[in-house]
């Protein structure tokens, strides 16, 4: 059997153990990529079946956890019961510079801590009071967002009305976001709703201070600065002569967002979470957007050249200089780490862009991707993935814990790269693992400086002596 | 400078390099934020009594809470039973959060499913999700029991778990006799410890139905509570075994949350067997090791099982003495030499270190039982608690804590702050500073802002490894607590005395 047929059989074997109805549902989400096809051939962005273990989160996680949370000078209220804010508190490492609790609020947790009486009588009065209390205690906040949790939508609270009142009192943006967890099928809808709120409540304001624009103004969109990713990206863009006006949303501010419609180009890293607002700016303000990839030297150079090509020759020249400048650093990294990693196989399952964007970084190190999939991708993500994966790559959409374990057991990759919920499952199987949401608290992984760390981390994961200790001498 | 292949720098050092510092400086021009002077002015103001008063005048806003929501506790109770799959009825995001939270603390897999309710379920109810969900999870994950709890979503729309599960069984999702205990765990009532109580009661109710025998089985049941120290489960087993107690630990998640790496992942590890759980109804007595996460469970046991219950928090010497005394009374066995030796060692260690802790002032926050346990130990060491903060407190807890502190000469400085959060605590620490702070990982922000050393005891602890593998109870636990406290204070003294020719006259080698 060919590799493709072999892996198709593997999918069938897993499905055969499922109840009939579930098998029928899941079959559409599992496939093997065949070279030359323009799609991965899986269905996506539909409900996870009840009762199966999915890695997916909810709309609140997409809005508060991803898009709004990292805007550092605003206060984001987790509006509803205490849990959602608590569990999403300080988990994502969206690094920022600021004095927490005074002018920045990224690692804090503000909640209306709904009690039974708030469910019965509604939480609007409480919410308005919260906005007043915030203004008293945190006078340097530059705005609020109201991230609504499940009960708020269910009991029909008017958070838009409260936001309007509060904004009038403070003169600052107060943004209601209808990101209740039951909306949509994953965090993905939360991203979209959050984008729409930017459109409606940030771009609609007319109090953005005037800035002197330049022909080289760009915005970084959809880099959440995990472990400092956006900084190791920003430095390259500035080195090639561009001026980064805004950084959405890791280490971002509301002022940066308000300035964005004035830039010449939007540079989008996480397409899934921020394509909506980029498209909006294209339509409304005529700003083109470009999806770049700063994982691994091949894609970094390719992206820098493509970005530079959208500007004049001075930028193009500088881009070449920057690529040349980092050549030695990259050559050193590859010389040291590639021999240790060459030929190793990897399986991934992450969120919005990494299941495809990280593939070339592994390839740069001589590693082969044998399976990849997304938690919450849409059809266009799977189309984009075809550019990144090779023949016979196993593709799994919203893979269940059950499927992922079976696939890994069968394909026996040398490394699994996924999230914290998956990490210890595979480590117990004796498999090296790296977290591809949080970089295992390392990072940055973006840009040339990030690639050196990425290479080092893959080496320490794969070649750690502890893996050799798992089997005892008495039980080999 | 950029990366040097011989010493690749990650975020800890990379961004301190001049080119990144310059980048940060340049970025400020785009940010539209307040001036450094203004920031410094406000920062100073937040340390004042004026700010404290405004902060404590808050009525609606919660900032940096020290509590989580019910289902988190419910699923911790559930995984303490053999082959049990937690099933959270509601939107799927919640269960992703719970699993992540436990995984980050224990560094272990944590399995759980949800019924993945979305907009249509919000309108029509989640019955269909329950029927399909139970069928799928039963077939895929082959559990011996599925423990169902709710999220706030399911509670707000009023889903009736009892009838839903009945319908699902009738539809053939799981066999009729398959145990599916359920608990309503709305997130807007109580906290994670309430959820633990609700689920423990539900599981015990389900398993023991119709199992009451004519005579007792001579065993004693133990309920750990919302216990996140694996070491405590081991210490409990050690103590009851040394006392010769024929014990059943209900909700024993020790192996589940600390499984060996032998190259194989097993979804279900250890746990109280369903037979043991069922037979718990025939025990002589049930002893809970935490008061507040087992209130309803104990009431149920006393009323329905007609079984006496008691609670013990064996933190420190005297409370461990009391615990063993009760075990001795129940079994008729004397406290064995082994434990008397352990006691002597713990007391010896405490007398060795007492001079460094006596009169030191402390702040503490956490779950009510953890805080009480810690107070017991601290007062035995002559530590003087000043701020005692419990976010998920009750009137009963406040009364208990106040009475306990009032009865000791070392408790006279203390104020019990019920229902307050960590931003309240920040004001307390600035206006009335203490020598050290005890709490979970979130306390590191308080440490950074106030400079008061933090000793990490509680849940969650995300930023230090393996703390949960130790015990805090029993005589051995007392030594661990002592070790953490006294050595943290030594490190603090070293940090403050390490500048040559300036502060290092007290940079002592011997203590």
């Amino acid at each position: 059997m060919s590799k493709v047929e072999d892996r198709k059989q593997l999918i069938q074997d897993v499905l055969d153990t499922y109840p009939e109805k579930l098998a029928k549902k899941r079959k559409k989400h599992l496939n093997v990529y065949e070279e030359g096809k323009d799609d991965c051939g899986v269905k996506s962005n539909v409900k996870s079946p009840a009762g199966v273990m999915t890695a997916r989160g909810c709309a609140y996680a997409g809005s508060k956890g991803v898009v709004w949370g990292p805007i550092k000078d605003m206060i984001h209220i987790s509006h509803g019961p205490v849990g959602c804010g608590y569990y999403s508190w300080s988990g994502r490492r969206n690094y920022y510079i600021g004095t927490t609790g005074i002018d920045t609020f990224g690692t804090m947790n503000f909640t209306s801590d709904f009690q039974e009486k708030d469910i019965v009588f509604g939480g609007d009065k409480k919410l308005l009071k919260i906005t007043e209390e915030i203004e008293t205690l945190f006078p340097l906040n530059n705005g609020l967002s109201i991230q609504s949790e499940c009960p708020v939508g269910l009991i029909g609270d008017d958070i838009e009305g409260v936001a309007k009142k509060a904004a009038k009192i403070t003169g600052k943006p107060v943004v209601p976001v209808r990101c209740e967890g039951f909306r949509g099928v994953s965090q993905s809808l939360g991203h979209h709703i959050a984008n729409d709120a930017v459109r409606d409540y940030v771009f609609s304001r007319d109090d953005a201070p005037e800035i002197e624009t330049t022909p080289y103004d760009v915005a970084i969109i959809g880099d959440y600065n995990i472990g400092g990713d956006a900084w190791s990206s920003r430095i390259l863009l500035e080195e090639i002569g561009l001026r980064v006006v805004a950084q959405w949303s890791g280490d971002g501010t509301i002022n940066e967002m308000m300035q964005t419609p004035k830039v010449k180009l939007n540079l989008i890293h996480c397409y899934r979470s921020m394509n909506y607002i980029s498209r909006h700016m294209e339509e409304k303000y005529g700003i083109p957007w470009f999806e770049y990839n700063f994982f691994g030297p091949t894609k970094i150079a390719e992206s820098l050249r493509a970005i530079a090509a959208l500007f004049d020759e001075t930028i193009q020249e500088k881009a070449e200089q920057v690529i040349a400048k980092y050549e030695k650093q990259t050559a050193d990294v590859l010389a040291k780490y590639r021999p240790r990693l060459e030929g190793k196989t990897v399986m991934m399952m992450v969120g919005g862009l990494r299941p495809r964007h990280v593939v070339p970084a592994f390839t740069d190190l001589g590693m082969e991707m044998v399976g990849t999939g997304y938690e919450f991708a849409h059809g266009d993500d799977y189309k984009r993935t075809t550019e990144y994966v090779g023949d016979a790559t196993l593709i799994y959409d919203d893979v269940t814990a059950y499927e992922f374990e079976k696939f890994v057991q069968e394909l026996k990759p040398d490394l699994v790269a996924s999230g914290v919920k998956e990490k210890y499952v595979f480590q117990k199987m004796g498999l090296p693992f790296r977290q591809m949401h949080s970089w295992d608290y390392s990072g940055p992984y973006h840009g040339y400086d990030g690639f050196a760390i990425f290479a080092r981390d893959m080496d320490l994961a794969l070649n750690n002596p502890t893996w050799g200790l798992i089997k005892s001498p008495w039980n080999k | 400078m950029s990366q040097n292949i011989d010493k690749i720098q990650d975020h800890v050092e990379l961004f301190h390099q001049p080119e990144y510092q310059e980048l940060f400086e340049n970025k400020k021009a785009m940010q539209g934020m307040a001036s450094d002077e203004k920031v410094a002015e406000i920062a100073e103001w937040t340390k004042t009594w004026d700010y404290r008063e405004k902060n404590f005048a808050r009525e609606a806003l919660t900032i940096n809470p020290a509590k989580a929501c019910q289902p988190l506790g419910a699923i911790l109770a559930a995984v303490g039973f053999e082959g049990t799959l937690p099933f959270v009825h509601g939107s799927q995001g919640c269960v992703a959060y719970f699993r992540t939270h436990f995984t980050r603390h224990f560094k272990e897999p944590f399995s759980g499913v949800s019924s993945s309710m979305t907009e249509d379920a919000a309108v029509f109810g989640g019955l269909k999700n329950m029927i399909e969900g139970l069928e799928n999870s039963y077939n895929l994950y082959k559990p011996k029991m599925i423990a169902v709890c709710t999220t706030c979503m399911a509670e707000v729309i009023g889903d009736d778990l009892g009838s839903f599960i009945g319908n699902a069984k009738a539809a053939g999702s799981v066999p009729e006799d398959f145990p599916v205990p359920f608990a309503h765990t709305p997130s807007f009532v109580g906290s994670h410890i309430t959820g633990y109580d609700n689920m423990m009661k539900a599981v015990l109710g389900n398993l023991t139905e119709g199992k009451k025998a004519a005579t007792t089985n001579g065993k004693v049941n133990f309920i750990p509570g919302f216990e996140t120290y694996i070491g405590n489960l081991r210490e409990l087993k050690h103590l009851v075994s040394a006392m010769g107690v024929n014990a059943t630990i209900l909700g024993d998640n020790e192996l589940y949350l600390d499984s060996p790496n032998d190259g194989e992942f097993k979804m279900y590890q250890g746990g109280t067997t369903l037979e043991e759980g069922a037979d718990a109804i025939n025990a002589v007595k049930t002893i809970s090791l935490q008061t507040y996460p087992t209130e309803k469970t104990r009431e149920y046991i006393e009323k329905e099982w007609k079984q006496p219950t008691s609670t013990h928090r064996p933190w420190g010497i005297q409370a461990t003495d009391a615990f063993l005394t009760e075990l001795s009374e129940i079994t008729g066995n004397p406290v064995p030499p082994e434990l008397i030796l352990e006691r002597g060692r713990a007391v010896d260690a405490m007398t060795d270190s007492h001079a460094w802790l006596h009169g030191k002032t402390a702040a503490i926050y956490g779950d009510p039982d953890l805080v009480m346990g810690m107070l017991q130990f601290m007062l035995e060491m002559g530590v003087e608690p000043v701020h005692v903060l419990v976010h998920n407190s009750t009137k009963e807890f406040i009364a208990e804590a106040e009475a306990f502190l009032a009865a000791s000469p070392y408790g006279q400085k203390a104020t019990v702050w019920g229902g307050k959060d960590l931003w309240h605590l920040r004001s307390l620490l600035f206006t009335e500073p203490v020598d050290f702070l005890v709490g979970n990982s979130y306390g590191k922000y308080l440490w950074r802002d106030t400079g008061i050393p933090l000793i990490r005891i509680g849940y969650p602890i995300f930023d230090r490894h393996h703390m949960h593998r130790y015990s805090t109870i029993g005589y051995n636990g007392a030594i661990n607590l002592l070790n953490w406290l006294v050595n943290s204070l030594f490190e603090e003294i070293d940090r403050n005395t390490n500048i040559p020719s300036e502060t290092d006259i007290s940079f002592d080698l011997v203590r």
Side-chain angles (χ1 to χ4, degrees):
Chain A
M1 262 201 293
S2 76
K3 225 176 185 182
V4 171
E5 282 165 22
D6 215 32
R7 288 181 183 174
K8 282 193 169 167
Q9 188 56 49
L10 167 61
I11 292 173
Q12 196 51 52
D13 291 345
V14 170
L15 289 171
D16 284 345
T17 64
Y18 273 14
E20 200 179 325
K21 211 168 146 192
L22 182 62
K24 212 176 139 198
K25 265 190 196 167
R26 287 299 306 157
K27 190 177 167 55
K28 299 171 188 155
H29 298 269
L30 307 170
N31 209 344
V32 181
Y33 177 67
E34 291 170 72
E35 195 85 66
K37 292 207 170 162
D38 65 355
D39 198 357
C40 296
V42 296
K43 208 174 165 185
S44 59
N45 198 34
V46 298
K47 265 194 267 188
S48 305
V52 308
M53 227 177 306
T54 167
R56 279 177 168 179
C58 63
Y60 166 89
S63 176
K64 190 265 184 179
V66 177
V67 177
W68 280 100
I71 315 260
K72 65 178 176 179
D73 61 338
M74 292 177 75
I75 286 174
H76 310 289
I77 304 164
S78 293
H79 188 44
V82 69
C84 314
Y86 191 78
Y87 305 120
S88 57
W89 180 12
S90 275
R92 270 180 66 89
R93 297 170 64 239
N94 314 103
Y95 285 179
Y96 62 90
I97 310 274
T99 308
T100 302
I102 311 300
D103 68 345
T104 47
F105 310 94
T107 50
M108 293 176 69
N109 171 7
F110 295 79
T111 172
S112 44
D113 188 13
F114 262 34
Q115 301 299 304
E116 211 158 12
K117 63 177 189 305
D118 300 311
I119 302 290
V120 177
F121 299 110
D124 287 346
K125 273 191 192 151
K126 188 175 195 177
L127 180 60
L128 187 64
K129 189 152 197 161
I130 283 171
T131 65
E132 291 162 4
E133 290 175 353
I134 286 176
E135 212 46 30
T136 306
L137 295 172
F138 306 97
L140 299 187
N141 82 78
N142 284 335
L144 310 178
S145 82
I146 299 156
Q147 307 285 324
S148 69
E149 302 172 5
C150 287
V152 173
L154 295 168
I155 62 177
D157 275 4
D158 179 19
I159 59 168
E160 289 82 2
V162 177
K164 210 171 161 184
K165 266 190 218 163
K168 217 171 163 184
I169 296 168
T170 62
K172 297 174 187 174
V174 181
V175 185
V177 194
R178 285 277 174 199
C179 56
E180 291 89 352
F182 59 81
R183 293 190 197 277
V185 302
S186 67
Q187 47 269 66
S188 180
L189 188 67
H191 304 142
H192 197 159
I193 293 167
N195 279 215
D196 288 352
V198 174
R199 179 195 65 202
D200 297 342
Y201 290 88
V202 180
F203 290 170
S204 66
R205 296 181 71 84
D206 49 18
D207 57 352
E210 282 298 317
I211 57 163
E212 227 171 280
T213 59
T214 78
Y216 303 118
D217 288 353
V218 298
I220 294 177
I221 310 252
D223 188 319
Y224 302 99
N225 211 27
I226 308 290
D229 282 334
W231 294 327
S232 56
S233 300
R234 183 184 181 111
I235 203 163
L236 296 177
L237 297 172
E238 293 191 343
E239 280 183 61
I240 69 168
L242 299 175
R243 186 172 83 147
V244 180
V245 169
Q247 201 175 296
W248 292 35
S249 57
D251 195 38
T253 65
I254 180 88
N255 184 62
E256 292 175 49
M257 291 176 102
M258 288 197 289
Q259 304 299 346
T260 307
K262 298 169 189 161
V263 302
K264 302 295 180 294
L265 175 70
N266 277 322
L267 291 169
I268 179 167
H269 209 245
C270 178
Y271 170 85
R272 183 69 273 136
S273 60
M274 288 277 198
N275 78 84
Y276 318 97
I277 197 72
S278 303
R279 287 173 199 279
H280 170 73
M281 282 190 268
E282 183 176 42
E283 277 171 33
K284 178 115 191 248
Y285 310 104
I287 304 170
W289 54 274
F290 176 76
E291 188 187 357
Y292 69 111
N293 180 357
F294 271 3
F295 284 105
T298 304
K299 281 288 164 185
I300 297 170
E302 200 182 303
S303 291
L304 285 175
R305 288 196 173 104
I307 293 164
L310 301 167
F311 292 91
D312 57 32
E313 276 173 16
T314 49
I315 301 292
Q316 288 157 21
E317 255 167 51
K318 275 193 191 165
E320 291 306 325
Q321 286 165 13
V322 169
I323 292 165
K325 175 189 159 187
Y326 286 99
E327 240 163 38
K328 167 141 193 343
Q329 179 179 314
T330 301
D332 287 350
V333 170
L334 293 176
K336 180 168 180 181
Y337 292 109
R338 195 170 161 126
R340 304 185 194 185
L341 300 168
E342 188 93 53
K344 302 287 186 190
T345 56
V346 190
M347 283 178 79
M348 268 204 290
M349 193 280 289
V350 213
L353 83 158
R354 291 154 178 165
R356 61 176 181 274
H357 268 196
V358 193
V359 177
F362 281 116
T363 314
D364 285 334
L365 291 168
M367 299 169 77
E368 187 201 346
M369 192 62 44
V370 292
T372 191
Y374 300 80
E375 277 175 45
F376 50 80
H378 296 214
D380 45 1
D381 292 300
Y382 284 107
K383 279 198 181 303
R384 286 174 154 76
T385 307
T386 59
E387 186 198 322
Y388 289 88
V389 295
D391 194 44
T393 307
L394 196 63
I395 307 287
Y396 27 79
D397 175 67
D398 183 25
V399 70
T400 69
Y402 180 86
E403 290 157 8
F404 202 13
E405 285 158 39
K406 296 274 175 197
F407 292 155
V408 167
Q409 276 162 3
E410 230 21 70
L411 293 184
K412 299 185 178 59
D414 297 301
L415 177 81
V416 181
S418 187
V420 73
K421 299 194 288 301
E422 295 77 43
K423 180 180 172 94
Y424 301 98
V425 170
F426 294 113
Q427 289 196 168
K428 297 274 187 210
M429 293 183 188
L431 280 167
F433 186 97
R434 286 303 288 183
Q435 289 184 58
M436 284 294 131
H437 298 276
S438 64
W439 313 146
D440 285 274
Y441 325 111
S442 173
Y445 279 0
H446 293 178
Y448 289 111
D449 287 346
F451 179 67
I453 304 165
F454 177 80
R456 178 199 72 175
D457 286 1
M458 295 312 133
D459 176 50
L460 68 82
L462 270 154
N463 296 316
N464 192 281
T466 55
W467 302 117
L469 305 174
I470 290 172
K471 288 292 168 200
S472 64
W474 322 285
N475 190 23
K476 282 250 184 203
Chain B
M1 221 193 316
S2 41
Q3 296 284 17
N4 173 346
I5 194 66
D6 296 322
K7 192 184 182 306
I8 289 173
Q9 303 185 334
D10 63 20
H11 58 89
V12 177
E13 293 162 317
L14 179 67
F15 299 121
H16 300 164
Q17 293 191 18
E19 64 265 38
Y20 281 102
Q21 288 297 310
E22 193 187 328
L23 179 143
F24 297 152
E25 203 48 48
N26 292 339
K27 183 176 183 291
K28 281 187 183 168
M30 310 291 176
Q31 293 187 156
M33 292 170 70
S35 67
D36 291 350
E37 295 72 38
K38 190 75 195 163
V39 170
E41 180 200 321
I42 299 294
E44 280 309 308
W45 171 59
T46 65
K47 301 173 184 173
T48 63
W49 278 90
D50 175 52
Y51 188 85
R52 171 172 165 168
E53 276 157 28
K54 290 188 166 71
N55 189 10
F56 274 73
R58 262 192 282 146
E59 287 173 355
L61 172 64
T62 294
I63 310 165
N64 297 351
K67 62 174 182 179
C69 68
Q70 282 212 52
L72 187 81
I75 67 173
L76 188 73
V79 299
F81 290 88
E82 176 198 15
T84 299
L85 181 69
F87 182 114
V88 183
H89 184 54
S91 166
Q92 77 207 0
C94 306
V95 86
Y97 276 145
F98 308 146
R99 292 178 62 211
T100 298
H101 219 257
F102 280 138
T103 298
R104 284 175 173 162
H105 175 85
F106 292 107
K107 312 214 181 298
E108 291 289 323
F110 198 105
S111 302
V113 298
S114 97
S115 51
S116 287
M117 283 163 67
T118 54
E119 283 106 328
D120 52 345
V123 178
F124 302 111
L127 175 59
K128 200 170 145 246
N129 301 64
M130 181 71 78
I131 292 173
E132 283 184 19
L134 286 179
E135 185 194 358
N136 288 338
S137 56
Y138 176 75
N139 281 290
L140 244 57
Y141 303 111
K142 311 269 185 287
K144 289 190 175 168
M145 174 159 82
I146 299 176
V148 180
C149 64
T150 51
T151 65
C152 47
M153 175 192 185
E155 288 297 319
V156 171
I157 64 176
D159 277 3
D160 176 356
L161 291 186
S163 76
F164 279 20
I165 292 165
N167 284 337
K169 283 189 169 180
S173 299
V174 296
E176 280 291 344
D177 60 352
F178 183 80
V180 187
F182 62 91
H184 287 275
T185 50
S187 312
F188 43 80
V189 174
S191 70
H192 54 286
I193 63 172
T194 325
Y196 181 92
D197 199 4
N198 283 330
M199 183 53 90
M200 183 55 73
K201 177 177 166 234
V203 170
L204 295 180
N206 181 294
L207 292 179
T208 60
E209 201 184 335
K211 302 290 164 128
K212 183 86 180 170
T215 52
T216 78
N217 58 20
K219 295 170 91 174
V220 181
N221 302 321
F222 293 87
I223 306 179
F226 188 88
E227 177 59 78
T228 55
Y229 284 87
I230 299 307
N232 280 347
L233 291 157
R234 297 200 179 119
E235 185 64 25
L236 173 65
K237 288 172 192 176
H238 162 63
L239 293 176
V240 297
S241 148
M243 287 299 301
V245 182
N246 195 353
T248 302
I249 295 172
L250 296 169
D252 175 8
N253 48 27
E254 179 211 321
L255 193 58
Y256 188 93
L257 297 169
D258 189 15
S259 66
N261 194 336
D262 54 9
E264 199 187 335
F265 166 64
K266 301 178 200 80
M267 186 181 280
Y268 309 106
Q269 299 251 12
T272 314
T273 66
L274 303 190
E275 292 74 24
E276 285 173 301
D279 200 30
I281 194 171
N282 299 313
V284 181
K285 182 164 194 178
T286 295
I287 298 177
S288 167
L289 276 81
Q290 291 180 356
T291 302
Y292 298 99
T294 58
E295 288 178 301
K296 285 181 206 159
T297 303
R298 283 181 285 116
E299 191 187 310
Y300 159 80
I301 288 170
E302 285 180 7
K303 203 170 147 210
E304 301 296 326
W305 295 2
K306 313 273 184 254
Q307 202 181 93
T309 71
S310 64
T311 66
H312 282 273
R313 296 182 198 102
W315 291 59
I317 302 299
Q318 293 164 86
T320 304
D321 294 348
F323 180 57
L324 297 185
T325 302
E326 171 156 10
L327 296 187
S328 175
E329 279 163 11
I330 292 171
T331 57
N333 300 333
V335 175
E338 180 193 0
L339 295 185
I340 294 171
L341 189 64
E342 281 178 17
R343 184 188 193 279
R345 284 181 181 138
V347 173
D348 184 52
M350 289 163 76
T351 52
D352 291 347
S353 304
H354 86 274
W356 295 96
L357 290 173
H358 194 126
K360 290 283 182 294
T361 56
I364 180 171
Y365 70 90
D367 283 338
D369 285 275
L370 178 123
V371 165
M372 279 304 299
M374 205 53 213
L375 288 178
Q376 288 163 195
F377 176 74
M378 290 201 292
L379 295 188
E380 284 180 343
M381 288 303 300
V383 172
E384 301 186 42
V386 177
H387 312 298
V388 177
L389 187 133
V390 174
H391 202 172
N392 46 354
S393 63
T394 56
K395 270 186 270 176
E396 292 75 21
F397 165 76
I398 293 170
E400 185 194 357
E402 283 176 346
F404 181 73
L405 289 158
S408 162
Y410 303 103
Q412 302 303 311
K413 289 181 184 161
T415 305
V416 179
W417 299 97
K420 294 286 184 267
D421 59 41
L422 299 187
W423 197 255
H424 289 119
L425 185 53
R426 187 177 183 273
S427 281
L428 295 174
L429 293 174
F430 271 127
T431 48
E432 297 175 84
V434 291
D435 294 317
F436 66 91
L437 167 66
V438 175
N440 63 23
S441 280
Y442 290 113
K444 78 189 289 174
Y445 299 127
L446 295 167
W447 165 77
R448 176 189 58 195
D449 291 358
T450 65
I452 294 170
L454 167 70
I455 293 145
R456 284 169 178 76
I457 299 173
Y459 173 87
I461 295 177
F462 291 147
D463 63 337
R464 292 293 185 272
H465 283 200
H466 310 301
M467 305 290 283
H468 66 283
R469 295 180 194 275
Y470 293 85
S471 60
T472 62
I473 64 168
Y475 303 123
N476 293 321
I479 295 176
N480 291 332
L481 294 173
L482 180 65
N483 175 18
W484 296 333
L485 256 54
V486 75
N487 288 324
S488 298
L489 294 187
F490 286 152
E491 277 169 29
E492 187 63 14
I493 295 172
D494 287 347
R495 244 195 306 276
N496 293 331
T497 57
N498 66 1
I499 305 170
S501 87
E502 211 174 292
T503 63
D504 72 340
I505 46 168
S506 313
F507 197 66
D508 290 329
L509 186 69
V510 186
R511 282 179 182 131

